Amino acid sequence: MKAIIVGGGKVGYYLAKTLLERYYDVSVIEKDRMTCQYFANTLDVTVVFGDGSTTKALRKAGAEKCDSVIAVTGEDEVNLIICQMAKRVFQVKKTIAKVNNPKNVETIKSLGADIAISGTDNIIRQMEREVDNSRIKELLPINEKAAVFEVIIPEDYVYDGRMIADIKLPDGCNIISITRGQDFIIPRGRTKLLSNDILLIVSSISAANEVRRMLKIKNK
């Protein structure tokens, strides 16, 4: 999944580092040249020097093929503009605005940001829960760290016919059922995965994107 972070301060750096650990493809837009240099030297991200509230910078960062844009500048008004532009011009699926003044949360949400949130840790938790890309959906939260996910196996699946035991899944992830047409299957290690299967998986929220990567489930 691809994410664009606008704003290269401490929040932007922490987000970029954390999302890289979640196997995101990350781009950062920052208008301070020294900060851009620091990001380029320390993180494996695409860095765009420019104003993230412009279409030029967003396009250069890859907004046309982006899953989420996260605006974390120090100005609530700028974060709102970035989210509005990402949504309206580039049809980005998910826009997230860091809100510096908690009183602005509802206003920013009503004016165009999908998610307006105060606090870096909350942004990370929200992004982890927003793993839904039409093939992986969180169905039932178990607690703050784990949930039940539905995984829809695509047609012409690369692992079609492969046994579950032969697919490496993250620690703490278990496939608890498979729906195959009218059949309901409680899987074992020798159970094979087939195209169009619907899986129910118990996993930590932080590992959800890793599950997608290990199962080789591509975005629709």
Side-chain angles (χ1 to χ4, degrees):
M1 296 181 75
K2 181 171 179 57
I4 295 174
I5 299 169
V6 183
K10 290 182 179 179
V11 173
Y13 186 86
Y14 175 73
L15 279 171
K17 189 173 184 296
T18 303
L19 292 177
L20 286 172
E21 292 170 355
R22 275 31 171 200
Y23 302 98
Y24 277 73
D25 176 8
V26 180
S27 295
V28 176
I29 304 174
E30 169 58 43
K31 57 185 178 181
D32 179 80
R33 192 178 294 278
M34 292 295 291
T35 302
C36 286
Q37 191 64 49
Y38 178 74
F39 269 75
N41 290 341
T42 59
L43 294 176
D44 185 20
V45 298
T46 299
V47 181
V48 175
F49 172 58
D51 183 351
S53 63
T54 65
T55 56
K56 179 180 178 181
L58 285 167
R59 183 172 285 108
K60 190 173 181 179
E64 291 171 319
K65 297 181 179 179
C66 182
D67 298 290
S68 56
V69 167
I70 313 145
V72 293
T73 77
E75 300 179 53
D76 290 352
E77 296 84 355
V78 173
N79 290 341
L80 173 59
I81 291 169
I82 292 165
C83 289
Q84 289 175 330
M85 192 171 300
K87 181 67 68 175
R88 296 174 186 175
V89 177
F90 299 101
Q91 289 77 52
V92 173
K93 297 174 186 176
K94 190 68 61 176
T95 57
I96 302 173
K98 173 179 173 288
V99 181
N100 301 284
N101 183 347
K103 294 181 179 179
N104 291 335
V105 169
E106 292 306 318
T107 299
I108 289 177
K109 286 172 67 176
S110 67
L111 290 177
D114 292 316
I115 301 167
I117 196 163
S118 179
T120 308
D121 290 337
N122 286 335
I123 293 174
I124 288 292
R125 283 196 294 272
Q126 185 64 52
M127 288 203 68
E128 288 173 343
R129 290 186 180 275
E130 291 299 327
V131 69
D132 178 0
N133 55 52
S134 297
R135 292 207 181 276
I136 299 184
K137 300 178 182 179
E138 180 184 329
L139 297 182
L140 178 66
I142 296 173
N143 52 38
E144 285 298 311
K145 295 184 178 180
V148 176
F149 294 88
E150 178 188 76
V151 180
I152 301 175
I153 301 297
E155 294 183 14
D156 301 319
Y157 183 43
V158 66
Y159 282 161
D160 185 81
R162 182 172 295 191
M163 291 189 299
I164 291 173
D166 294 333
I167 301 173
K168 180 176 173 58
L169 293 173
D171 292 339
C173 167
N174 288 298
I175 301 174
I176 57 177
S177 74
I178 300 174
T179 300
R180 182 175 295 157
Q182 299 299 315
D183 296 330
F184 181 80
I185 302 166
I186 302 299
R188 299 290 185 265
R190 296 183 63 82
T191 302
K192 295 179 180 180
L193 294 183
L194 301 180
S195 299
N196 300 312
D197 280 352
I198 300 175
L199 317 181
L200 287 186
I201 292 179
V202 174
S203 172
S204 66
I205 294 168
S206 62
N209 281 301
E210 177 68 355
V211 170
R212 179 177 61 83
R213 191 177 75 86
M214 291 294 194
L215 287 174
K216 296 190 182 297
I217 304 293
K218 297 181 179 179
N219 295 342
K220 280 187 175 181

